[in-house]
Amino acid sequence: MRAHFFIFLFIVSHCVSDEDVKSETGVEENYKLIKLSEVCTCSEIPDYDGTHLVLNVLCSELDRIENVADLDKVEWPPNPNGLKISAAFEGLGLTTLGKLPPNSQVESLRFSNNAIKTYWPDPFSDVPNLTKLSFAQNDLYVITPDLFTKIDRLEDLDLSYNKISDFNPLDFKHLRMVKKFNLQSNQLSKVPLESIMPMTALEHLDLSKNGIFDLLLQRTDGVGLSSLKRLYLNSNRIRSVTKHSFPADNKLELLDLSNNLIEIIEEDAFLPCTNLKELNLGQNNITLVFELPASLQIAIFKINTFYHWPKFPSGIKYIDLSYNRLTSLYDETSNNFQNLEILNIGGNQIKQLDIQKILSNLFILDISYNLLTEIPKTLSEQYLPSLEELRLDGNPIANIYFNNVMVLKTLHMSYMDKLMKVDDKAFSNVVGRGEDETEEQSNCFYLYLSNCQSLSEIHVGAFEGTTVCMLDVSKNNLTNLPQDLLPWSSVSAGINLQFNPWHCSCDLQWMVDQLIPYLYNTNSSYLLDDLRCGSPRAYQHLRLVHWYNWTDRAMCSNGYLRAGPHDTYILEASTEGNPFHMSTMTLILSISIAVSLTVAVVLIIYLVVTRKRYRIRRAALNRKRQSAIDAKHTNGTEKEQYAALNRT
Ligand SMILES: *[C@@H]1O[C@H](CO)[C@@H](O)[C@H](O)[C@H]1NC(C)=O
Ligand SMILES: *[C@@H]1O[C@H](CO)[C@@H](O)[C@H](O)[C@H]1NC(C)=O
Ligand SMILES: *[C@@H]1O[C@H](CO)[C@@H](O)[C@H](O)[C@H]1NC(C)=O
Ligand SMILES: *[C@@H]1O[C@H](CO)[C@@H](O)[C@H](O)[C@H]1NC(C)=O
Ligand SMILES: *[C@@H]1O[C@H](CO)[C@@H](O)[C@H](O)[C@H]1NC(C)=O
């Protein structure tokens, strides 16, 4: 559908009707549909603030739009109120851009998602008030100085996702007002310094996802992109940053150099960037530290090979040094982290954490995937008075115990392979941090303690004296859970016990009686989907919710023991699986078989016996017949005579 939207391309002459049309987003809007030609209609979308005329043209038969380059034939729609015009030529398969007819109201043009490769000279010379222009996702590979002419007011230019590998120094010579320029995803191999230089107002430059290998923002004479505030050079092939990279006293506030191949940064390379607030050097290969400008607030240095902490300025608020080679905490004597709010040092090789200087503003601390073997004593309200979120996942901690009071909203302790049991009082010193200090009720914390493959035991007193608002102990190796572990009905934000090999015996009947009805009736019922028995075998994989609302204490009855002599079949989660009924069936079947067998045996014996008797009788008969024959031979004639006499 979107591909068929077309703007003012065709002669806007026959306004036919007003219709209500449902927009693509499903929002009901009052479109004004204007028939433009045989194949196209133009729809006018009312602008929310009423200052713009937003036009779209729907063309039903794209094959018939042949000479789309013929833009000079376009007639702009009537615009009696002199509204500014925003128009988009998106997804039409345009290959050539024609010259646009005069209109001083046109403010924004989008040619995104076409296949534009060529253009007529000076295509925009009659739309002098154009401030926003997009050629994103086209096939432009070369730009000439006659493309961006007479649009001196242009402020926003998007050439992203094209095939441009180089520019002519005169290409943008008229674009002095451009503030935002997007060149993402082209084929540039260097920063097009000379061509961009005329854009003296340029503040935002996106050069990400090109093949740039050299970071150079100033010419040899020291002139550079001096007004630039935000520069994106991520996902290029830059190898080093030197003291010649940036012009002196530049205005850079944000610099993204992530995902390059940087190994070398000269020690004072960033010092000319006296306004730099955010520096992203993530995903490079940086080993040695360098100096940071005093203005820096956000430092993203993750996924590098730092062995030592860089020296951060005192205004630093956000440090991400995750996935480096750090083995210890920063040097507290030379760093002032008074303003630090977020510290992420996950994925390093830190064995000990000993904070002596208070981090009064820190609210997120991530020390996951390090080499901590116990919960550091330094994790206390005293040193971290504002902490809300603590991540300790993936550390080789075998024993959970918080020595000091720790006030938190969220505690993450998942993926701890060494953890086998959680002892009494493990979390007793963790106190929930309420939204509002005065609100007693909300002083509970969220605990994520999942994916600990060896964790098979949680002692009843683990949460003694503390309040949990959410408990996730899914994907552990738990077979049992004490009923009195928590006041379950006050764990309001969810209880996830899924993917554990629960032993479904009488000990766990309380789950069926209390927990399941509670979860079933809240919007946490999805947490019952994979709450299943791991043992005994007869119940393996059976969902606990199967017993929801059973009148008898199902897991306490021995019914399943009568289920079959081999204990092999699995009860289905349906009401028909009554074990008693099943054993009766088996009994009847066994009796039937026994009876049949008896009958068969009796029958065989009878047959054998009968046959023996028959043989004896036959033998006797034969003998009798023989003696009769013998007798006949002796006095047979007389007997025959007697017989004949009798017959007559
Ligand atoms: C548009 O441009 C004309 C001249 O090119 C100028 O007179 C007019 O003020 C401009 N209109 C707006 C809204 O900028
Ligand atoms: C990072 O540097 C090391 C040596 O310093 C090298 O062996 C490794 O290949 C580099 N990695 C990348 C992605 O360039
Ligand atoms: C999980 O617990 C069972 C006993 O209940 C044990 O045999 C098994 O080794 C445990 N798994 C792990 C990964 O510790
Ligand atoms: C349901 O879930 C939402 C968040 O997903 C939560 O704000 C709301 O309190 C929950 N309602 C109940 C009854 O648990
Ligand atoms: C469970 O039982 C309760 C009370 O006996 C009843 O209100 C509820 O509807 C039953 N739920 C289901 C799913 O059977």
Side-chain angles (χ1 to χ4, degrees):
M1 278 290 282
R2 183 173 288 282
H4 299 212
F5 276 96
F6 210 63
I7 313 304
F8 67 86
L9 182 58
F10 295 88
I11 299 160
V12 182
S13 51
H14 315 289
C15 284
V16 169
S17 63
D18 285 5
E19 277 177 45
D20 281 353
V21 176
K22 214 166 199 174
S23 82
E24 279 179 30
T25 53
V27 182
E28 196 117 16
E29 284 183 83
N30 204 16
Y31 281 75
K32 191 188 276 176
L33 268 192
I34 305 161
K35 182 134 202 253
L36 295 172
S37 69
E38 286 303 300
V39 288
C40 296
T41 49
C42 162
S43 66
E44 180 195 328
I45 306 164
D47 190 25
Y48 42 79
D49 62 3
T51 58
H52 288 69
L53 196 62
V54 183
L55 298 162
N56 283 312
V57 177
L58 175 69
C59 297
S60 57
E61 294 169 60
L62 280 179
D63 325 351
R64 289 171 63 181
I65 310 168
E66 265 154 27
N67 202 357
V68 283
D70 215 9
L71 291 184
D72 59 335
K73 299 242 171 59
V74 168
E75 245 176 59
W76 296 98
N79 184 9
N81 298 324
L83 298 175
K84 290 175 183 167
I85 295 172
S86 278
F89 287 89
E90 292 176 325
L92 294 165
L94 285 178
T95 54
T96 305
L97 175 67
K99 191 176 162 77
L100 292 152
N103 189 311
S104 62
Q105 255 69 48
V106 174
E107 189 197 51
S108 162
L109 287 175
R110 289 205 309 271
F111 296 96
S112 326
N113 203 8
N114 281 292
I116 297 173
K117 212 179 253 179
T118 54
Y119 44 84
W120 288 11
D122 309 315
F124 306 113
S125 58
D126 291 328
V127 284
N129 291 329
L130 190 67
T131 58
K132 213 174 160 189
L133 176 61
S134 172
F135 279 103
Q137 310 208 41
N138 278 286
D139 290 337
L140 289 172
Y141 61 94
V142 70
I143 302 282
T144 49
D146 59 357
L147 176 55
F148 301 115
T149 53
K150 311 246 173 74
I151 40 170
D152 302 358
R153 287 163 218 256
L154 196 70
E155 290 178 6
D156 185 336
L157 177 60
D158 188 347
L159 295 176
S160 62
Y161 295 92
N162 277 282
K163 295 173 174 154
I164 305 164
S165 58
D166 201 5
F167 289 106
N168 182 305
L170 301 176
D171 282 349
F172 311 119
K173 71 171 174 180
H174 304 291
L175 303 183
R176 289 199 181 82
M177 308 276 275
V178 170
K179 284 193 184 131
K180 190 174 172 196
F181 188 13
N182 190 348
L183 277 166
Q184 187 195 138
S185 292
N186 275 282
Q187 290 160 8
L188 297 167
S189 56
K190 58 185 176 57
V191 178
L193 200 58
E194 286 299 323
S195 319
I196 297 176
M197 214 67 95
M199 297 182 173
T200 47
L202 191 65
E203 290 181 355
H204 180 118
L205 176 60
D206 191 341
L207 289 165
S208 59
K209 299 186 193 166
N210 277 280
I212 296 170
F213 56 82
D214 198 7
L215 174 57
L216 203 57
L217 299 180
Q218 63 169 343
R219 294 193 307 220
T220 43
D221 61 3
V223 179
L225 299 169
S226 53
S227 57
L228 205 58
K229 287 185 176 163
R230 291 177 295 280
L231 175 60
Y232 297 87
L233 275 163
N234 43 304
S235 304
N236 278 289
R237 309 189 60 79
I238 298 168
R239 294 192 167 274
S240 60
V241 186
T242 70
K243 56 174 175 280
H244 304 296
S245 295
F246 307 101
D249 295 323
N250 62 70
K251 302 225 166 46
L252 273 179
E253 290 174 5
L254 182 154
L255 179 58
D256 189 345
L257 287 167
S258 61
N259 199 15
N260 276 282
L261 304 167
I262 303 171
E263 284 182 26
I264 297 156
I265 296 183
E266 283 183 16
E267 200 175 350
D268 47 358
F270 289 109
L271 294 188
C273 306
T274 50
N275 295 292
L276 196 63
K277 290 199 176 82
E278 178 170 350
L279 176 60
N280 190 342
L281 288 168
Q283 279 176 278
N284 279 289
N285 211 353
I286 308 165
T287 306
L288 299 175
V289 299
F290 45 87
E291 286 190 62
L292 292 169
S295 54
L296 200 67
Q297 295 180 353
I298 298 174
I300 302 168
F301 296 171
K302 64 182 175 192
I303 319 176
N304 275 289
T305 45
F306 283 104
Y307 288 87
H308 301 286
W309 289 70
K311 188 181 174 305
F312 291 98
S314 61
I316 197 82
K317 287 183 171 168
Y318 182 119
I319 296 175
D320 186 348
L321 269 167
S322 58
Y323 297 93
N324 275 286
R325 308 276 163 83
L326 304 175
T327 51
S328 62
L329 195 64
Y330 51 89
D331 178 3
E332 290 192 304
T333 56
S334 63
N335 277 290
N336 174 355
F337 285 156
Q338 268 314 298
N339 294 298
L340 192 61
E341 294 175 4
I342 297 175
L343 176 60
N344 184 352
I345 44 173
N348 281 285
Q349 282 137 37
I350 297 170
K351 289 193 174 117
Q352 272 184 343
L353 199 71
D354 189 11
I355 299 167
Q356 299 291 337
K357 267 180 157 177
I358 297 174
L359 299 173
S360 51
N361 285 302
L362 194 73
F363 72 93
I364 297 179
L365 175 60
D366 187 340
I367 37 176
S368 54
Y369 299 97
N370 273 285
L371 302 175
L372 302 174
T373 51
E374 54 174 25
I375 312 255
K377 291 189 179 57
T378 193
L379 294 179
S380 77
E381 199 197 6
Q382 190 188 349
Y383 296 113
L384 305 164
S386 306
L387 204 66
E388 294 186 359
E389 185 177 322
L390 175 61
R391 288 180 172 268
L392 288 166
D393 315 68
N395 277 293
I397 294 174
N399 184 29
I400 299 178
Y401 182 66
F402 285 82
N403 283 73
N404 297 303
V405 172
M406 187 76 246
V407 186
L408 286 175
K409 270 187 184 166
T410 314
L411 176 58
H412 293 264
M413 303 190 80
S414 299
Y415 295 96
M416 301 206 298
D417 295 347
K418 293 277 191 296
L419 188 69
M420 296 170 83
K421 65 178 198 305
V422 176
D423 284 324
D424 283 340
K425 297 199 166 52
F427 295 101
S428 293
N429 277 329
V430 182
V431 179
R433 185 181 291 281
E435 297 293 333
D436 181 357
E437 300 291 325
T438 57
E439 255 183 82
E440 289 275 316
Q441 290 244 312
S442 57
N443 284 348
C444 58
F445 68 100
Y446 283 59
L447 176 64
Y448 295 88
L449 183 67
S450 75
N451 283 286
C452 301
Q453 55 178 358
S454 306
L455 178 60
S456 57
E457 208 179 333
I458 299 180
H459 281 217
V460 65
F463 297 101
E464 204 181 291
T466 186
T467 313
V468 173
C469 22
M470 199 282 317
L471 179 70
D472 180 358
V473 289
S474 60
K475 300 186 182 174
N476 293 313
N477 198 15
L478 296 168
T479 52
N480 197 1
L481 202 64
Q483 177 172 6
D484 297 327
L485 185 66
L486 285 166
W488 298 102
S489 58
S490 67
V491 185
S492 55
I495 302 164
N496 192 350
L497 307 174
Q498 298 180 104
F499 302 102
N500 276 292
W502 297 111
H503 182 68
C504 292
S505 69
C506 204
D507 283 350
L508 228 56
Q509 179 65 36
W510 68 270
M511 273 197 194
V512 173
D513 296 342
Q514 285 182 23
L515 206 56
I516 289 175
Y518 172 63
L519 290 176
Y520 198 96
N521 293 309
T522 63
N523 54 2
S524 299
S525 60
Y526 68 95
L527 294 173
L528 295 171
D529 288 353
D530 279 292
L531 181 58
R532 295 170 191 270
C533 303
S535 59
R537 241 182 116 191
Y539 287 168
Q540 211 174 13
H541 308 306
L542 184 69
R543 293 163 69 195
L544 266 78
V545 71
H546 165 68
W547 287 294
Y548 173 53
N549 265 9
W550 276 33
T551 46
D552 56 344
R553 306 187 74 223
M555 285 202 278
C556 293
S557 83
N558 283 331
Y560 67 88
L561 291 177
R562 282 186 264 134
H566 306 296
D567 210 13
T568 46
Y569 73 85
I570 294 162
L571 288 175
E572 289 307 315
S574 77
T575 49
E576 285 164 17
N578 184 333
F580 179 72
H581 180 64
M582 291 305 291
S583 69
T584 312
M585 286 294 290
T586 319
L587 205 70
I588 291 170
L589 205 71
S590 314
I591 293 170
S592 313
I593 292 170
V595 168
S596 317
L597 276 172
T598 318
V599 169
V601 168
V602 168
L603 210 70
I604 289 165
I605 294 170
Y606 171 77
L607 281 176
V608 169
V609 170
T610 329
R611 179 137 183 94
K612 207 171 167 188
R613 257 191 226 141
Y614 171 75
R615 257 193 252 117
I616 293 167
R617 222 175 41 219
R618 254 194 96 93
L621 218 73
N622 283 347
R623 251 180 276 122
K624 223 179 190 170
R625 201 177 289 152
Q626 193 56 50
S627 47
I629 291 166
D630 293 349
K632 193 178 160 191
H633 279 288
T634 48
N635 52 0
T637 12
E638 282 166 55
K639 269 193 183 166
E640 267 171 0
Q641 281 170 350
Y642 290 137
L645 267 171
N646 284 344
R647 248 180 264 133
T648 51

